[in-house]
C-alpha cells in the first residue's frame, strides 16, 4: 500500500549538531509545527492512512559507534505489513530500549535481528541489517553462525530441561566444546556476569527448572552471554517477574552496559528510563523518535512521543 | 512449572457460551443477564455433574466386576478344599471336592433316563419343595478309572455324606488327580507300611528323593541328549554347507564328512552313557510305589516319582492348606505345562509373553519416534501430512488378525525366506525353515506394526507439547534444527513417549489373534531366550499366555478341569501387563522429574 512512498529516505541528511539539541523541533519532521496538537494527531492520522512518516532520529544516536545497523527494514506477516522502512543504528556498548504500544512491532523488530522470524513460514522481509558490517540477510548468510554472534533473553524465562551448568554452556556444547576447563570457566564467568553465581554455585548440577522465576531469568541471561555475543537482545525480560526480581534484572542490565550492546524491548516506561541509554519510540510498525533516553523523556521532539510517555495515549 | 496463561484466559471464554442459552449469548447485555439469573436447572450444570459422574461410575463398575470375577476365581483355583465322600441311593461311592451348587427344575425327559428309583426320589423332592432340586458339582478326579473328572450329584439321592479322615488327594504327572485312600507303600514290590499314618510317613520319606531323581532324569533327557543331538546336527549341516559352497567331493566337503563321522561315533558313545544314567535312575524310581484305592475299592498302583503332590485333605490345618496353596502357585509359575497344558505350570508362556513384549517395545519405540519426529518437526503442515496422520490413526483400527496375516505373508514368507536363503541354505535344503516360519522375531515385529499408530500419535502429541519458547531459546543460542530436537525437544518429550510405550505394551501384551499366525505355539519345547549359545533365539516359536488362555479354554479335552486354570492364567496375564506398565510408569515419573515436565 505505502510501498511507493516509503522509498523516501527517512534520514536523508544528517542534521547539524548545533540545531539538534536546543531546538525542540525535529530536523526532518514532515509536519512544519510539530508542537501544535492538531498537527501531532495529523502524524498519527497519516500513519493510520498508511502514508510514510519519517523517523526523527537525534544526533546523539548517530554520533555513537554502531554495532548494528538496521537499514530500510520492512517485514510482512503474509499480506499484513508489520514493519515499515525502519532504519536505525544500535550503539555499541550501550543499552537501547524499544518502547511503544502493544502490537507496534517492537518484538518483531527484535526477533528480526537474530532472524527468529525465519521460523514463521509466512514472514517475508525487505531491507538489510548489518552486524559489525556483516549483512545478516541474504543468500550467503549462515543463520546458525549469525545467531551464535547474538544472545537473546525472552519474555518468559525458558531454561532448558537440564542442569544449571548445562544450561549455561549450551551454546558451547552445540559447538562441540568438550574441554572441561573451558566449560567450567565460561559457566562461572557467565553466572557471575548474570549476578547468579553466588546463589547457584552449590547447585550447578541441579535442574535449571528448580530455580525461582527471577533466578531462571538470570540463568537465561547467563546462557545468552556465555558465547560473548556482539549484541544482547532482550524481549521484555521482566514482564513475568515480581518487582524485586525485576529490580535485580535492571541492576544487572546496568552492569552489562559497556561490556555488551543491549537491545531491549519493554512495556514499562519507567524501566526504559531507568535502564537504557537510548530509547526508540515505535508506533504501528514505524520508529517515530529515537534518541538519548534522557532527551526523549524530558524534551522529546515530537508531541506524540510526549503524549505516549506521559500516558496520554497508547 | 509454568502455567500457560492463554489456557487460563481461554477457560471462562469457552465455558461462557457453552452454559449460556443461545438466545442470551451476549453476556454483557442486560437481557442476557436477566435470562441467566432466572436460570434453568440445565444452565446451573448440576445434571451434567450427575451425568458425567454416572458414566464414570458405570465404566468403573464394569471394570471392577470383570477384575473381581477374574481375581476371585483365579485366586481360589489352587485352594485345597475338603474331600467329601458321598454314598448315593444307587449305591455309588464318590469322593471329591464340591466345586459348585445349583438349583434346577427336573424335566420328565431327563428323569426318564434315570433309574426309576432315583427318578422317583427326585420327583418327590421336587414336589415337596418349589419344584426345583438342588445338585452339586463334584470334582471326582480318577479319570483313568471313571473316565470323567466331574459329576453332578442330585441332593435327594445322597444317602450318606462323610469326610473320611484319611481321604487323600494325589496329583499325578499323568491322568490328573486321584481321590481315594492309601492302602500301602511298596518298596521293591514289598509293602513297608499299611496303616495310613505309616504309609504317609513312608511316602514323605521317599517322595522327595524320587522327585529329585525324576528331575535329574528329565534334565539328562532334555538337556544332555539335546546338546548331543544338536552337536551332531551341526556337523551334519556343516557337511551340507560344504557341499553347497565347495561342491560334493571337494576337500572341505570331505573334511566335514570326516568330522561328521567322528561326531557320530561320539554321539553313540555319549547317548549310551546318558541312556545308562537314565536307566539307573528309572530303575531306582521303579522301586518305590504307592498302592491307592478309590472310594469304591478299585486299586491303583502309582510310582512315587509320578506323584507331584499328595495330601490328606481332611486332616490339613489352615496353615497346611496355605502351604499346599502356595506350593501350587509356585508350580504354576515356575514349571512347564503337562497334560495338554491343563495342569502344571505356565513358565514358558510367561517367559514368552515377557520376551515378546520387550522385543516389541524395542522395535516399536525407535521406529515410531522417528516417524513422529518427521511428521511433527520436519514435514510441512498441509493436506498430505493431514492425510498421512489420518491414515496412521486408522491403522489403529485395522483388525489385529489382518496384521497377523500381513506378518505371516510378509515377514515369514517373504523376508524370512530370503534370510533363510542367504544365511541358512543348508537348513533350507532339508526343508526346515529357520526364519521362514513364525517365531519370536516376526511376532514381535508384527505386534510392533500393530502398536505403531499408538506410539506415533502419543509421541506427536508429546512433541507438540514442548513449549515453543524452549525451541526458540535453543535456536537463539545458535543451535541447528537437529541439535534443538536432539538436546531440547526429545528429552522434554520423553515422558510422553513413555506414555506411548505404556499404551503399546498394554495393547501388545494382551494381543492373541495375530500371534496364532506368526509364532505362538500351543507348547514350545525350547524357550526363545535360554542358556544355549547365542542365548537369544529370535527364530524360535514360543508360548504366550494369551494364546495359552485360548487353548486352555477352548481346545482342552478336559475343559471342566481347565476352567479354573483359565481364570488363573487370565489373572496372571493381567498381573504381568500391570507389572510391565507399572515399571514403565515409574520410569516415566523419573523422567518427568528429571526434565521438569508436570504432565504430558
Amino acid at each position: 500500500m505505502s510501498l511507493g512512498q516509503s522509498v523516501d529516505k527517512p534520514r536523508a541528511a544528517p542534521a547539524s549538531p548545533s540545531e539538534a539539541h536546543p531546538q525542540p523541533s525535529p530536523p526532518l519532521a514532515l509536519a512544519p509545527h510539530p508542537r501544535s496538537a492538531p498537527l501531532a494527531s495529523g502524524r498519527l492520522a497519516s500513519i493510520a492512512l498508511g502514508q510514510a512518516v519519517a523517523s526523527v532520529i537525534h544526533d546523539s544516536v548517530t554520533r555513537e559507534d554502531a554495532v548494528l545497523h538496521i537499514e530500510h527494514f520492512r517485514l510482512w506477516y503474509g499480506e499484513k505489513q508489520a514493519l515499515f522502512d525502519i532504519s536505525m543504528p544500535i550503539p555499541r556498548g550501550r543499552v537501547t530500549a524499544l518502547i511503544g504500544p502493544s502490537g507496534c512491532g517492537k518484538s518483531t523488530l527484535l526477533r528480526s535481528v537474530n532472524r527468529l522470524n525465519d521460523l514463521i513460514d509466512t514472514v517475508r522481509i525487505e531491507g538489510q541489517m548489518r552486524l559489525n558490517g556483516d549483512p545478516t540477510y541474504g543468500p550467503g548468510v549462515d543463520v546458525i553462525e549469525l545467531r551464535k554472534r547474538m544472545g537473546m533473553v525472552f519474555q518468559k524465562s525458558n531454561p532448558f530441561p537440564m542442569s544449571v551448568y548445562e544450561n549455561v554452556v549450551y551454546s558451547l556444547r552445540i559447538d562441540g566444546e568438550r574441554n572441561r576447563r573451558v566449560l567450567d570457566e565460561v559457566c562461572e564467568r557467565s553466572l557471575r556476569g548474570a549476578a547468579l553465581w553466588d546463589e547457584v554455585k552449590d547447585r550447578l548440577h541441579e535442574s535449571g527448572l528448580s530455580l525461582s522465576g527471577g533466578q531462571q531469568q538470570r540463568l537465561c541471561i547467563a546462557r545468552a552471554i556465555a558465547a560473548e555475543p556482539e549484541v544482547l537482545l532482550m524481549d521484555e525480560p521482566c514482564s513475568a517477574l515480581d518487582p524485586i526480581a525485576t529490580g535485580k534484572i535492571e541492576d544487572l542490565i546496568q552492569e552489562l552496559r559497556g561490556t555488551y550492546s543491549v537491545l531491549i524491548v519493554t512495556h514499562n516506561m519507567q524501566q526504559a528510563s531507568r535502564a537504557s541509554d537510548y530509547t526508540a519510540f515505535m508506533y504501528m510498525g514505524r520508529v517515530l523518535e529515537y534518541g538519548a533516553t534522557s532527551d526523549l523523556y524530558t524534551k522529546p521532539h515530537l508531541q506524540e512521543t510526549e503524549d505516549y510517555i506521559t500516558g496520554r495515549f497508547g | 512449572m509454568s502455567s500457560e496463561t492463554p489456557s487460563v484466559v481461554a477457560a471462562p471464554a469457552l465455558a461462557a457460551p457453552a452454559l449460556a442459552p443461545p438466545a442470551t449469548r451476549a453476556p454483557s447485555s442486560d437481557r442476557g443477564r436477566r435470562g441467566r439469573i432466572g436460570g434453568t436447572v440445565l444452565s446451573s450444570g448440576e445434571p451434567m455433574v450427575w451425568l458425567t459422574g454416572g458414566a464414570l461410575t458405570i465404566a468403573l463398575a464394569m471394570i471392577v466386576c470383570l477384575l473381581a470375577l477374574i481375581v476371585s476365581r483365579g485366586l481360589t483355583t489352587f485352594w485345597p478344599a475338603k474331600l467329601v465322600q458321598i454314598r448315593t441311593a444307587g449305591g455309588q461311592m464318590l469322593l471329591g471336592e464340591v466345586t459348585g451348587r445349583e438349583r434346577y427344575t427336573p424335566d420328565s425327559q431327563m428323569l426318564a433316563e434315570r433309574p426309576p428309583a432315583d427318578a422317583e426320589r427326585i420327583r418327590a423332592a421336587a414336589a415337596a419343595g418349589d419344584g426345583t432340586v438342588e445338585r452339586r458339582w463334584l470334582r471326582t478326579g480318577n479319570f483313568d478309572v471313571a473316565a470323567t473328572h466331574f459329576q453332578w450329584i442330585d441332593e435327594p439321592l445322597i444317602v450318606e455324606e462323610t469326610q473320611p479322615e484319611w481321604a487323600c488327594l494325589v496329583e499325578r504327572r499323568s491322568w490328573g488327580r486321584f481321590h481315594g485312600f492309601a492302602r500301602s507303600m511298596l518298596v521293591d514290590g514289598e509293602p513297608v507300611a499299611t496303616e495310613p499314618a505309616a504309609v504317609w510317613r513312608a511316602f514323605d520319606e521317599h517322595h522327595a528323593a524320587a522327585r529329585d531323581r525324576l528331575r535329574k532324569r528329565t534334565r539328562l533327557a532334555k538337556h544332555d541328549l539335546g546338546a548331543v543331538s544338536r552337536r551332531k546336527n551341526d556337523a551334519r549341516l556343516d557337511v551340507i554347507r560344504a557341499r553347497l559352497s565347495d561342491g560334493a567331493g571337494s576337500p572341505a566337503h570331505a573334511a566335514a564328512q570326516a568330522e561328521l563321522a567322528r561326531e557320530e561315533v561320539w554321539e553313540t558313545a555319549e547317548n549310551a552313557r546318558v541312556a545308562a544314567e537314565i536307566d539307573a535312575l528309572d530303575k531306582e524310581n521303579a522301586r518305590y510305589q504307592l498302592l491307592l484305592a478309590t472310594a469304591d475299592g478299585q486299586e491303583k498302583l502309582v510310582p512315587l516319582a509320578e506323584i507331584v503332590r499328595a495330601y490328606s485333605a481332611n486332616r490339613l490345618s489352615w496353615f497346611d492348606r496355605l502351604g499346599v496353596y502356595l506350593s501350587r502357585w509356585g508350580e504354576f509359575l515356575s514349571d512347564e505345562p503337562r497334560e495338554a497344558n491343563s495342569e502344571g505350570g505356565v513358565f514358558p508362556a510367561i517367559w514368552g509373553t515377557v520376551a515378546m513384549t520387550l522385543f516389541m517395545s524395542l522395535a516399536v519405540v525407535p521406529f515410531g519416534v522417528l516417524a513422529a519426529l518427521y511428521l511433527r518437526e520436519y514435514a510441512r503442515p498441509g493436506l498430505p501430512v493431514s492425510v498421512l496422520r489420518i491414515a496412521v490413526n486408522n491403522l489403529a483400527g485395522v483388525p489385529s488378525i489382518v496384521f497377523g496375516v500381513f506378518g505371516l505373508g510378509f515377514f515369514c514368507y517373504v523376508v524370512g525366506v530370503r534370510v533363510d536363503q542367504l544365511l541358512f541354505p543348508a537348513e533350507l535344503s532339508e526343508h526346515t525353515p529357520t526364519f521362514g516360519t513364525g517365531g519370536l522375531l516376526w511376532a514381535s515385529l508384527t505386534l510392533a506394526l500393530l502398536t505403531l499408530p499408538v506410539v506415533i500419535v502419543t509421541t506427536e502429541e508429546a512433541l507438540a507439547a514442548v513449549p515453543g519458547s524452549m525451541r526458540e531459546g535453543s535456536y537463539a543460542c545458535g543451535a541447528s534444527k537437529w541439535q534443538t530436537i536432539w538436546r531440547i525437544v526429545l528429552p522434554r518429550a520423553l515422558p510422553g513417549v513413555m506414555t506411548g510405550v505404556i499404551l503399546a505394551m498394554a495393547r501388545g501384551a494382551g494381543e492373541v489373534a495375530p500371534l496364532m499366525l506368526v509364532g505362538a505355539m500351543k507348547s514350545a519345547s525350547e524357550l526363545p531366550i535360554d542358556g544355549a549359545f547365542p542365548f537369544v533365539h529370535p527364530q524360535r516359536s514360543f508360548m504366550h499366555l494369551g494364546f495359552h488362555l485360548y487353548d486352555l479354554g477352548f481346545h482342552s479335552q478336559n475343559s471342566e478341569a481347565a476352567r479354573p486354570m483359565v481364570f488363573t492364567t487370565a489373572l496372571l496375564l493381567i498381573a504381568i501387563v500391570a507389572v510391565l506398565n507399572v515399571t514403565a510408569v515409574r520410569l516415566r515419573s523419573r523422567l518427568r522429574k528429571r526434565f521438569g515436565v508436570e504432565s504430558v
Side-chain angles (χ1 to χ4, degrees):
Chain A
M1 36 189 194
S2 63
L3 271 182
Q5 297 168 0
S6 62
V7 180
D8 297 8
K9 287 222 164 161
R11 197 160 49 85
S16 65
S18 56
E19 66 176 353
H21 276 282
Q23 267 186 10
S25 89
L28 278 167
L30 281 185
H33 307 295
R35 269 295 186 183
S36 58
L39 284 174
S41 50
R43 181 181 283 262
L44 297 186
S46 59
I47 288 175
L49 286 172
Q51 290 160 359
V53 174
S55 310
V56 175
I57 297 182
H58 297 200
D59 281 348
S60 53
V61 179
T62 46
R63 276 199 304 268
E64 288 272 2
D65 174 27
V67 65
L68 178 76
H69 284 284
I70 300 171
E71 296 165 358
H72 303 298
F73 195 80
R74 276 162 280 181
L75 183 142
W76 289 262
Y77 288 116
E79 290 299 304
K80 188 177 171 296
Q81 188 166 9
L83 295 178
F84 294 85
D85 200 35
I86 290 177
S87 290
M88 57 191 283
I90 309 297
R92 189 186 304 281
R94 308 284 177 182
V95 178
T96 308
L98 296 174
I99 61 168
S102 295
C104 70
K106 314 180 291 284
S107 290
T108 301
L109 181 61
L110 193 78
R111 293 161 60 89
S112 298
V113 175
N114 68 351
R115 294 188 60 174
L116 270 191
N117 284 332
D118 289 14
L119 300 177
I120 304 164
D121 287 335
T122 54
V123 162
R124 185 164 59 84
I125 66 110
E126 276 177 20
Q128 185 59 282
M129 296 193 191
R130 286 177 200 284
L131 179 64
N132 281 323
D134 304 327
T136 67
Y137 285 90
V141 176
D142 183 348
V143 185
I144 305 278
E145 286 306 314
L146 177 77
R147 287 188 190 135
K148 284 177 181 165
R149 297 167 64 185
M150 309 184 195
M152 183 156 182
V153 179
F154 294 82
Q155 190 168 355
K156 226 170 73 183
S157 63
N158 55 352
F160 300 143
M162 42 180 89
S163 67
V164 171
Y165 183 91
E166 289 299 324
N167 256 291
V168 177
V169 300
Y170 183 78
S171 51
L172 280 77
R173 283 274 189 221
I174 57 179
D175 274 347
E177 178 65 64
R178 288 223 169 134
N179 188 337
R180 197 78 202 171
R181 272 179 50 203
V182 174
L183 293 175
D184 286 346
E185 199 184 305
V186 168
C187 179
E188 180 172 348
R189 177 175 51 73
S190 307
L191 283 174
R192 280 191 194 283
L196 191 61
W197 174 253
D198 291 329
E199 289 165 59
V200 301
K201 65 184 173 200
D202 299 324
R203 40 199 288 217
L204 288 179
H205 296 284
E206 282 175 35
S207 169
L209 296 154
S210 65
L211 304 181
S212 74
Q215 287 175 327
Q216 285 191 12
Q217 191 61 302
R218 276 179 285 150
L219 177 63
C220 293
I221 295 175
R223 184 175 75 198
I225 62 177
E228 305 267 335
E230 293 165 42
V231 184
L232 183 57
L233 309 171
M234 294 182 148
D235 190 357
E236 298 188 42
C238 303
S239 65
L241 299 179
D242 64 70
I244 293 173
T246 301
K248 282 188 180 168
I249 303 273
E250 282 177 12
D251 290 347
L252 175 59
I253 293 171
Q254 290 305 312
E255 280 166 33
L256 294 175
R257 179 206 308 261
T259 323
Y260 297 99
S261 315
V262 179
L263 184 58
I264 178 170
V265 166
T266 178
H267 246 112
N268 183 327
M269 229 70 70
Q270 280 70 39
Q271 185 172 74
S273 72
R274 281 193 301 264
S276 69
D277 302 307
Y278 292 94
T279 297
F281 168 52
M282 289 182 70
Y283 181 74
M284 285 186 74
R286 295 162 179 85
V287 172
L288 288 194
E289 187 167 358
Y290 179 23
T293 303
S294 52
D295 295 345
L296 214 72
Y297 273 72
T298 52
K299 39 182 192 300
H301 296 188
L302 295 183
Q303 180 65 40
E304 290 84 357
T305 310
E306 189 179 327
D307 288 351
Y308 180 73
I309 286 168
T310 53
R312 244 170 271 163
F313 89 96
Chain B
M1 172 118 310
S2 47
S3 74
E4 296 285 329
T5 26
S7 70
V8 174
V9 176
L14 278 175
L19 287 176
T24 61
R25 255 267 164 80
S28 57
S29 80
D30 282 337
R31 210 165 59 84
R33 276 192 189 284
R34 269 204 300 277
R36 281 193 28 201
I37 289 166
T40 60
V41 184
L42 202 64
S43 67
S44 72
E46 190 72 12
M48 282 312 172
V49 175
W50 286 96
L51 188 68
T52 49
L56 179 68
T57 312
I58 290 171
L60 278 182
M62 286 194 291
I63 293 168
V64 167
C65 284
L66 178 69
L67 278 181
L69 176 74
I70 290 174
V71 168
S72 64
R73 300 289 292 269
L75 280 181
T76 51
T77 304
F78 294 143
W79 187 258
K82 297 234 183 227
L83 283 175
V84 181
Q85 182 170 273
I86 288 170
R87 192 156 61 85
T88 66
Q92 232 186 336
M93 281 292 259
L94 295 164
L95 183 67
E97 293 177 350
V98 178
T99 55
R101 289 166 195 272
E102 69 168 31
R103 295 197 77 86
Y104 75 108
T105 312
D107 60 72
S108 52
Q109 195 195 341
M110 202 191 93
L111 289 173
E113 288 169 7
R114 312 290 291 265
D118 289 359
E120 195 46 50
R121 272 172 171 266
I122 294 171
R123 206 170 286 130
D130 55 353
T132 61
V133 173
E134 187 166 0
R135 59 179 178 178
R136 297 186 201 175
W137 189 227
L138 194 69
R139 181 169 188 176
T140 53
N142 303 356
F143 189 73
D144 42 348
V145 179
T148 176
H149 286 280
F150 286 82
Q151 207 166 321
W152 281 113
I153 311 288
D154 291 297
E155 206 75 32
L157 300 184
I158 297 174
V159 176
E160 189 194 358
E161 182 183 341
T162 51
Q163 293 190 355
E165 186 190 2
W166 288 104
C168 67
L169 191 153
V170 178
E171 290 171 34
R172 298 172 292 179
R173 284 181 63 223
S174 47
W175 293 109
R177 294 180 177 186
F178 186 92
H179 295 173
F181 301 91
R183 283 278 163 83
S184 57
M185 171 82 194
L186 305 173
V187 178
D188 297 327
E190 295 298 318
V192 295
T194 47
E195 280 302 303
V199 168
W200 289 117
R201 257 200 312 280
F203 171 83
D204 287 342
E205 195 180 312
H206 296 295
H207 182 235
R211 290 292 291 170
D212 252 6
R213 281 191 291 272
L214 181 73
R215 220 166 284 134
K216 215 174 283 171
R217 181 204 189 281
T218 314
R219 193 163 53 236
L220 281 172
K222 205 172 153 182
H223 190 262
D224 290 29
L225 288 184
V228 170
S229 72
R230 236 187 341 264
R231 232 176 103 169
K232 189 205 154 193
N233 198 39
D234 283 348
R236 205 171 47 76
L237 289 171
D238 279 342
V239 173
I240 300 174
R241 262 179 222 121
R243 182 166 54 76
L244 287 176
S245 62
D246 297 351
S250 66
H253 187 218
Q257 270 173 330
E259 177 66 28
L260 175 60
R262 272 198 299 283
E263 281 294 333
E264 272 169 353
V265 171
W266 178 80
E267 184 210 11
T268 317
E270 193 69 9
N271 273 351
R273 184 185 67 76
V274 177
E277 268 185 67
I278 290 178
D279 216 36
L281 290 168
D282 281 350
K283 276 222 182 72
E284 180 67 15
N285 264 353
R287 291 176 58 210
Y288 304 95
Q289 288 170 307
L290 194 63
L291 184 64
L292 299 166
T294 62
D296 49 7
Q298 300 186 53
E299 294 199 335
K300 183 87 191 169
L301 204 56
V302 182
L304 227 53
E306 282 287 298
I307 297 173
V308 176
R309 187 181 294 105
Y311 58 88
S312 302
N314 297 337
R315 285 172 58 87
L316 295 182
S317 68
W318 189 84
F319 284 103
D320 294 334
R321 282 174 203 282
L322 187 67
V324 171
Y325 179 73
L326 293 179
S327 140
R328 278 177 174 169
W329 264 108
E331 182 196 359
F332 183 67
L333 294 178
S334 66
D335 222 342
E336 295 192 2
R338 41 170 220 272
E339 290 289 284
N341 289 353
S342 65
E343 283 181 35
V346 290
F347 178 72
I350 299 175
W351 195 247
T353 307
V354 172
M356 194 221 48
T357 309
L358 293 181
F359 266 53
M360 179 203 73
S361 311
L362 282 183
V364 74
V365 170
F367 203 41
V369 168
L370 288 177
L373 267 182
Y374 188 86
L375 262 184
R376 176 60 62 178
E377 300 289 330
Y378 288 108
R380 187 176 287 273
L383 188 66
V385 169
S386 303
V387 170
L388 203 64
R389 205 166 273 149
I390 292 169
V392 167
N393 284 337
N394 279 345
L395 212 58
V398 173
S400 56
I401 192 75
V402 175
F403 282 96
V405 173
F406 174 80
L408 183 69
F410 180 70
F411 290 133
C412 302
Y413 292 163
V414 175
V415 182
V417 168
R418 296 285 179 287
V419 170
D420 277 357
Q421 281 168 351
L422 275 174
L423 301 177
F424 305 97
E427 286 87 341
L428 199 62
S429 73
E430 297 202 306
H431 304 288
T432 50
T434 311
F435 280 99
T437 179
L440 181 69
L441 178 67
W442 301 143
S444 304
L445 289 184
T446 304
L447 285 196
L449 212 58
L450 178 80
T451 50
L452 192 61
V454 180
V455 176
I456 290 183
V457 169
T458 43
T459 304
E460 260 209 275
E461 276 165 16
L463 292 175
V466 176
S469 65
M470 272 193 193
R471 293 165 204 263
E472 285 188 346
S474 174
Y475 288 131
C477 285
S480 66
K481 183 145 194 164
W482 174 245
Q483 282 171 327
T484 302
I485 290 173
W486 181 246
R487 288 169 182 268
I488 307 293
V489 178
L490 262 188
R492 171 86 194 203
L494 223 55
V497 176
M498 284 304 296
T499 306
V501 176
I502 291 167
L503 290 174
M505 285 207 305
R507 169 108 203 256
E511 197 60 68
V512 178
L515 295 182
M516 294 180 185
L517 301 180
V518 291
M521 283 280 162
K522 183 182 162 69
S523 76
S525 55
E526 292 168 305
L527 298 173
I529 301 173
D530 64 11
F533 185 81
F535 310 117
V536 179
H537 311 278
Q539 77 279 12
R540 283 189 188 163
S541 55
F542 59 100
M543 286 181 74
H544 184 272
L545 275 175
F547 185 60
H548 187 80
L549 197 65
Y550 168 74
D551 182 54
L552 213 53
F554 297 96
H555 290 253
S556 180
Q557 294 143 341
N558 179 10
S559 64
E560 282 298 340
R563 196 165 63 181
M565 294 287 276
V566 170
F567 284 104
T568 314
T569 309
L571 179 67
L572 184 64
L573 181 56
I574 291 174
I576 286 179
V577 173
V579 166
L580 287 173
N581 274 359
V582 165
T583 314
V585 167
R586 289 183 67 117
L587 195 62
R588 179 176 64 181
S589 67
R590 279 182 58 179
L591 287 172
R592 273 188 187 156
K593 221 171 271 166
R594 188 160 151 215
F595 296 117
V597 190
E598 260 165 12
S599 65
V600 173

